[in-house]
Structures are given as C-alpha cells and as structure tokens.
Amino acid sequence: MNIKKCWDKTFLKSNEVNVKKVSFKNRYGITIVGDLYKPKNKPKGKMSAIVVAGPFGAVKEQVSGLYAQVMSERGFLTLAFDPSYTGESGGKPRNISSAEINTEDFSAAVDFLSNRVDVDPEKIGIIGICGFGGFGLNAAAIDTRIKATVSVTMYDMTRVTANGYFDSMDENERYKLKENLNKQRTEDFKTGVYAKAAGLPDKLTGEEPQFVQDYYGYYKTSRGFHRRSINSNGNWCKTSALALINMPILKYVNEIRNAVLIVHGEKAHSRYFSEDIFKKLKGDNKELFIVNNANHVDLYDNMQKIPFDKIETFFKTYLE
C-alpha cells in the first residue's frame, strides 16, 4: 500500500485538531487505513469516540473525513477510514464491495478504538453516510458496543442493487441483470481482468436523472473529486453487484437497542430508504430528522445544510 502522509483531502485542514494515519486489521485479515482526528484542546481522561465511513465508493479524504474533522472540532476523537478494497486500505481485487465485509469494517474500527488508552470503550458511536449509512445500521444491529449511530442520507445498497432505484426493477429485469453479470464473471476469469462498471458519465447531456446530475456535480468536479475515489475515477468492479443482489442487510434493525439518529434531506432521492427503516426501529431513543430543502449530495459537504449541531447534541446525549 502506498500511504500518503501529506494533506490531500477535498476540504481545508482545521487548526483545531491533530490528524494522523492509523491502520488495523479486520477479521478477514484486510488492513484498514484511516485518519484519526483528535482535538488539540482534548479533555482530560478517556474520550468519547466516533467512527465515520461513506459514502459508498468514496474515500476518507472526502465526505467521511470532513464529518470526522468537524466532530473532532466539537470535542470527540474521530476515525474516518477507507473500507476494505478501496482507497488506501487493503484487499484484492480492488474496488469491489461486500455487504458482510463492509459491515465488519465498522466493527473492526470499534475493536481498534476500544483498545486505545485515550478512548472510553463504553462511549463509541458511528456515522455512516449514504451506502455506509446502511452498513452502519447493519453493524449497529450486530455490535452492541456501538452505543449511538447516525445514518446520513442513507442507502440500502443491497435493496437498490436487487430492486433498482425506487424499487423499479421487475423479476425479468432482475434475472437479466444476474445473467449479464455472471457472463461477465466468465469473461473476467478468461482475461484475468475485472471489467469496470460504467460509473458516472464523463459529461452530462442534461437528460440524466436528477440524482445522477447531483452525483456528477460532486464527484466529477474539483469540489469533491479525489483520484482514489471509485465514484470519481469510475473504477468500480462491474461484477461487484453480485455480492449485494441477494443479501438484504437491514433485516434485523428492529433489534438495535442503542440510540439511532437518521438524517435525511427533504429533497433527497433516497429518502424512502430512511423512512422505511425508521418505521422498523423500536424504542424511544430513535429519531428521524429531515433537513429542509436539502438534496442527497447537500448532506455530503454543504456546511450550511449538514445539521452538525443536531449530530453533536445526539452524541453528547448518548456518549457522554
């Protein structure tokens, strides 16, 4: 792994926190690389900590790092990491996904933080953004050490892969998708090269769905482009979808006993995911917070619309 030591984020460096590279292994033996953010004026004793990951296909130098830095400015020790197979983290082949392993990545980060001398292991929360909002909730349904979970503009990657956007795929279309992907597997083995998915277009025609235009406006411009991000460089492994298409990840969210805050934009195209999942959550420590006049990508980096005050209050309520 070629790990960069210089600042190469898509956001400006804060003068209020110290940042350093860290690494640890998950239970599949994959090395996870992250950025640890720590307030310069850190409180005495063990700290509350927050793990941050997402969006799906992004790297820690983008959205998750921004969230981690801001929450560290607000007094938390935070860790933004690259998921397995992406960015500076290990795993081969590159740029694939796994519902199981990407859920495990969150718990591996909790393992790491729980064993730091400056972290209170009873006060660890997570933030999952976009596709990792779904994996984060899945981790919270498994890992009782996660005391508070924030899911921002959440995507259920297994549901959208299996059923299409807005559950628009019928049974025949789903079968055709599987047929094409499995043909591609045969070809990949023959050539020894994993074919890339189409990804975002190089240019917009104006005819694309609004959510494609939103993603393009973030990942394909200087605002959010990062060369290691799969969404920026279009290097997704095409057959990666097969790891998601038959595996619902959020079946047991009703078992989450610890606190959950689901944040979504009023105009976000993926809002239906969050509203459906929120109905399944139980207990009086669960909340759905809709951000007025915000679309999906606004909650990636629009500092005027990301409800950091709300997120800070949530974590201080349940982690301190």
Side-chain angles (χ1 to χ4, degrees):
M1 293 177 291
N2 184 21
I3 297 176
K4 299 295 183 183
K5 299 294 185 182
C6 61
W7 185 267
D8 63 346
K9 322 298 186 194
T10 60
F11 51 91
L12 295 177
K13 187 176 183 179
S14 171
N15 293 322
E16 299 177 31
V17 302
N18 292 316
V19 188
K20 72 172 184 177
K21 293 275 186 180
V22 296
S23 64
F24 50 93
K25 288 187 181 293
N26 67 17
R27 291 207 166 188
Y28 292 89
I30 299 170
T31 298
I32 305 299
V33 177
D35 289 321
L36 191 74
Y37 294 81
K38 194 169 185 177
K40 289 183 177 179
N41 296 319
K42 61 181 182 299
K44 294 181 180 179
K46 293 180 178 290
M47 301 180 64
S48 301
I50 302 170
V51 178
V52 193
F56 192 74
V59 290
K60 63 188 179 304
E61 288 75 22
Q62 297 167 299
V63 181
S64 60
L66 173 63
Y67 273 71
Q69 179 171 266
V70 171
M71 295 310 296
S72 186
E73 289 175 333
R74 293 168 182 245
F76 299 91
L77 184 147
T78 61
L79 170 65
F81 69 86
D82 285 333
S84 296
Y85 307 108
T86 61
E88 294 182 314
S89 289
K92 289 185 179 181
R94 302 302 296 164
N95 300 339
I96 66 170
S97 60
S98 165
E100 184 176 6
I101 294 175
N102 291 150
T103 298
E104 155 66 17
D105 289 338
F106 273 107
S107 286
V110 174
D111 294 339
F112 171 75
L113 290 177
S114 295
N115 284 279
R116 286 183 60 89
V117 297
D118 52 359
V119 171
D120 185 337
E122 297 299 320
K123 296 180 178 180
I124 297 176
I126 64 174
I127 299 175
I129 303 158
C130 191
F132 276 78
F135 293 136
L137 285 170
N138 201 42
I142 298 168
D143 195 333
T144 58
R145 299 171 302 170
I146 298 170
K147 302 304 182 184
T149 301
V150 173
S151 179
V152 179
T153 198
M154 189 270 286
Y155 250 84
D156 178 345
M157 293 307 302
T158 53
R159 177 175 167 183
V160 74
T161 304
N163 301 327
Y165 286 101
F166 306 107
D167 297 327
S168 60
M169 191 185 303
D170 64 26
E171 184 177 336
N172 289 332
E173 291 170 322
R174 177 178 156 84
Y175 185 85
K176 188 67 175 178
L177 172 63
K178 291 189 290 184
E179 189 175 48
N180 289 337
L181 290 173
N182 283 295
K183 285 181 180 179
Q184 187 63 58
R185 281 191 64 136
T186 302
E187 186 64 21
D188 287 353
F189 187 89
K190 177 181 177 180
T191 63
V193 177
Y194 290 89
K196 298 176 183 177
L200 291 169
D202 291 331
K203 293 183 180 180
L204 293 179
T205 66
E207 300 299 319
E208 295 83 3
Q210 185 59 49
F211 66 86
V212 174
Q213 297 182 42
D214 291 341
Y215 288 139
Y216 185 95
Y218 180 75
Y219 287 111
K220 289 293 188 178
T221 66
S222 58
R223 171 182 159 203
F225 177 86
H226 198 281
R227 61 185 179 82
R228 289 195 295 275
S229 167
I230 303 169
N231 295 326
S232 293
N233 62 37
N235 283 332
W236 267 117
C237 174
K238 186 174 183 179
T239 56
S240 188
L242 286 169
L244 304 172
I245 198 168
N246 276 11
M247 188 180 295
I249 58 173
L250 298 177
K251 183 176 181 180
Y252 295 104
V253 290
N254 61 298
E255 294 183 356
I256 300 175
R257 294 187 181 182
N258 293 321
V260 174
L261 171 64
I262 295 181
V263 177
H264 228 89
E266 179 185 26
K267 297 182 177 180
H269 64 275
S270 55
R271 179 176 167 181
Y272 69 105
F273 286 127
S274 292
E275 291 177 334
D276 282 357
I277 290 302
F278 183 72
K279 293 174 184 176
K280 298 178 182 179
L281 297 174
K282 298 180 180 179
D284 57 6
N285 56 355
K286 314 291 190 291
E287 182 176 358
L288 174 65
F289 184 78
I290 303 297
V291 181
N292 292 333
N293 201 34
N295 66 32
H296 190 92
V297 176
D298 280 335
L299 299 184
Y300 285 4
D301 67 343
N302 189 329
M303 299 297 287
Q304 302 303 312
K305 293 192 176 182
I306 300 173
F308 281 119
D309 288 345
K310 178 72 174 178
I311 294 170
E312 177 186 2
T313 299
F314 170 80
F315 279 125
K316 286 186 173 178
T317 298
Y318 293 104
L319 297 183
E320 294 186 350

